Amino acid sequence: HQQASSQKPKTLDSIICFIKKKKGSKLISLFLLFLPLLTVTILSGAEQAFASDKTVLLVNGHNSTAGSGDGGMSSLRGKKQRRASGCNLFQGRWVFDASYPFYDSSTCPFIDGEFDCLKFGRPDKQFLKYSWQPESCAIPRFDGAAFLRKYRGKRIMFVGDSLSLNMWESLGCMIHASVPNAKTTFTKRTPLSSLTFQEYGVTLNLYRTPYIVDIAKEKVGRVLNLGAIDGGAGVWKNTDVLVFNSWHWWTHKGQSQGWDYIRDGSSLVRDMNRLDAFYKGLSTWARWVDQNVDTTKTRVFFQGISPTHYEGREWNEPRKSCSGQMQPLGGSSYPSGQPPAAGVVSKVLSSMKKPVFLLDITTLSQLRKDAHPSSYGGDGGTDCSHWCLPGLPDTWNQLLYAALSM
């Protein structure tokens, strides 16, 4: 036994030779009888070896092979993990790419002036020439015509604040660039706007609701109700793709604050910790999704926290803001880390029963201090909150496209 184990045969020919030496002709006949089964076993092992070489896609920490049916999207949650052998679409760096941008702002009829930086005189154009490169995989280039064919007769709805508007207009422009002669119907209203590509029956909706939860007019004034979500919920149901977003307005104070009081259960208060309020409001939204959305028919995404660049100390330039910035930060991490609101989003998503897919755009957007309108938004102020179009939101939509396609 010891001698045999030290001379382990490694191929079919060597196995036969080995048996001849050790056991004689009878065992050879028995071996040949079971040869087909042995061959299948060896081939099966080879297939497993090839399968192990497939790129593992990690989106929000849940893995699947690149060849799997849904890319593992059905199991995505808010918690993140890192694996050396895997690929996280949201971990990477910005690289110069001469093939960008996806479209020309002057030929897209859907862009608001506040995002049309070139129209309002931005002199540099290098900010348009960057693509997002994940560390160990490639994301598919956006194909608007393929998007329309895949979602023929369906509705995609963005629900949230002006960052949702940013992303909605971006997707409209990206698709329009692929089918510039397609007939469209474009309607902007409050709270519900729509863009329909008529030949395909594909509708992109925007539902404006900065806090997602309700603001009601009461005797005391405008009341932000952290436990109610009745205002637009009926409109959101039965949509094929839902992309939610909130946070930007939760930080506003003074005249830009959207409410006078907060209703927290039975309590009516003038103010409270904004992160606590955001957590309670987002938890109300999470319960609504768990109880009302059929995720076998509707894909649900959360857009992630879009950062601002008013405070240069965050990236080690304490006297700077987004004004005058002309290139992204290098590397794959942001010096000051993720904002606390991103942790709130992850906490809420990880507690949900239904699968909600986080487009974890925070870090990759933090690296783009150069991509804001700054003083080229047409209103005379300095905007380090929103994003130029073409620009960063096109990457958000490319990642959405990748998530929907895998």
Side-chain angles (χ1 to χ4, degrees):
H1 173 76
Q2 290 177 349
Q3 186 180 12
S5 63
S6 65
Q7 300 175 14
K8 203 178 224 181
K10 296 188 178 176
T11 68
L12 288 178
D13 288 340
S14 63
I15 289 171
I16 294 172
C17 233
F18 177 84
I19 293 173
K20 280 181 179 179
K21 291 178 180 177
K22 298 294 178 184
K23 300 294 181 182
S25 60
K26 288 185 179 180
L27 191 53
I28 292 174
S29 300
L30 185 63
F31 170 79
L32 291 175
L33 180 65
F34 286 99
L35 178 60
L37 180 60
L38 180 61
T39 304
V40 169
T41 303
I42 291 172
L43 288 175
S44 175
E47 287 171 356
Q48 290 177 12
F50 281 122
S52 68
D53 286 334
K54 288 182 180 178
T55 299
V56 177
L57 297 174
L58 260 184
V59 186
N60 259 2
H62 293 267
N63 65 322
S64 67
T65 59
S68 63
D70 69 350
M73 295 301 294
S74 60
S75 65
L76 298 184
R77 298 285 183 181
K79 192 177 291 184
K80 300 177 193 174
Q81 299 172 0
R82 296 287 183 265
R83 297 187 186 179
S85 62
C87 174
N88 185 330
L89 292 178
F90 310 105
Q91 183 70 29
R93 60 192 180 93
W94 291 97
V95 297
F96 183 81
D97 190 332
S99 70
Y100 277 56
F102 288 102
Y103 55 90
D104 184 334
S105 59
S106 66
T107 61
C108 181
F110 316 125
I111 301 179
D112 274 345
E114 62 182 306
F115 309 138
D116 198 347
C117 304
L118 297 183
K119 178 181 178 180
F120 287 99
R122 180 162 178 170
D124 63 301
K125 295 184 180 180
Q126 185 168 326
F127 76 97
L128 299 171
K129 298 291 186 181
Y130 290 98
S131 65
W132 177 248
Q133 177 58 62
E135 285 182 351
S136 14
C137 64
I139 52 178
R141 187 170 176 88
F142 184 83
D143 184 335
F147 185 95
L148 290 173
R149 289 191 297 270
K150 180 175 182 177
Y151 286 93
R152 185 183 293 274
K154 299 187 183 298
R155 280 199 308 153
I156 295 93
M157 184 178 292
F158 295 87
V159 180
D161 54 30
S162 51
L163 279 311
S164 295
L165 171 68
N166 225 172
M167 191 173 180
W168 175 65
E169 291 185 0
S170 161
L171 182 57
C173 290
M174 292 169 75
I175 295 174
H176 180 265
S178 296
V179 288
N181 297 319
K183 292 183 179 180
T184 59
T185 302
F186 183 54
T187 305
K188 286 193 74 175
R189 294 195 180 102
T190 300
L192 185 64
S193 298
S194 66
L195 168 60
T196 300
F197 291 85
Q198 295 177 9
E199 180 184 343
Y200 300 88
V202 175
T203 297
L204 310 180
N205 285 126
L206 170 71
Y207 191 94
R208 292 290 291 270
T209 171
Y211 304 97
I212 298 182
V213 291
D214 293 345
I215 292 182
K217 291 184 178 179
E218 300 185 18
K219 289 182 179 180
V220 294
R222 301 165 300 169
V223 176
L224 176 64
N225 191 336
L226 301 180
I229 199 167
D230 303 319
V235 181
W236 310 340
K237 283 184 178 180
N238 303 318
T239 301
D240 299 285
V241 179
L242 283 168
V243 184
F244 289 93
N245 157 66
S246 189
W247 172 241
H248 180 64
W249 278 82
W250 290 85
T251 63
H252 288 197
K253 296 185 177 182
Q255 293 183 346
S256 64
Q257 181 175 290
W259 44 266
D260 303 305
Y261 287 86
I262 296 176
R263 186 172 296 285
D264 179 16
S266 60
S267 300
L268 188 67
V269 297
R270 280 197 173 273
D271 205 349
M272 64 185 295
N273 179 283
R274 301 305 177 88
L275 279 171
D276 291 344
F278 180 50
Y279 173 74
K280 292 182 178 184
L282 203 61
S283 296
T284 297
W285 162 80
R287 285 192 296 274
W288 180 85
V289 171
D290 281 342
Q291 294 168 9
N292 294 280
V293 178
D294 182 354
T295 51
T296 64
K297 298 178 180 178
T298 300
R299 302 285 296 275
V300 186
F301 291 83
F302 196 87
Q303 186 176 327
I305 301 299
S306 177
T308 63
H309 288 94
Y310 291 103
E311 302 288 340
R313 56 183 170 78
E314 292 181 358
W315 63 90
N316 300 323
E317 291 185 334
R319 297 179 181 273
K320 300 287 185 68
S321 69
C322 72
S323 294
Q325 302 287 345
M326 293 191 292
Q327 60 186 22
L329 286 168
S332 59
S333 61
Y334 193 61
S336 64
Q338 289 208 336
V344 172
V345 171
S346 291
K347 182 178 179 181
V348 171
L349 295 189
S350 64
S351 70
M352 294 180 69
K353 298 174 183 176
K354 296 286 180 71
V356 173
F357 317 137
L358 175 62
L359 289 174
D360 194 3
I361 52 92
T362 302
T363 299
L364 66 89
S365 302
Q366 285 177 316
L367 299 175
R368 292 306 305 272
K369 58 185 174 62
D370 60 317
H372 296 283
S374 61
S375 58
Y376 302 104
D379 63 357
T382 299
D383 183 356
C384 297
S385 297
H386 301 98
W387 308 93
C388 295
L389 294 179
L392 176 65
D394 304 333
T395 296
W396 299 349
N397 280 310
Q398 193 176 9
L399 292 167
L400 173 64
Y401 179 69
L404 289 168
S405 299
M406 285 189 295

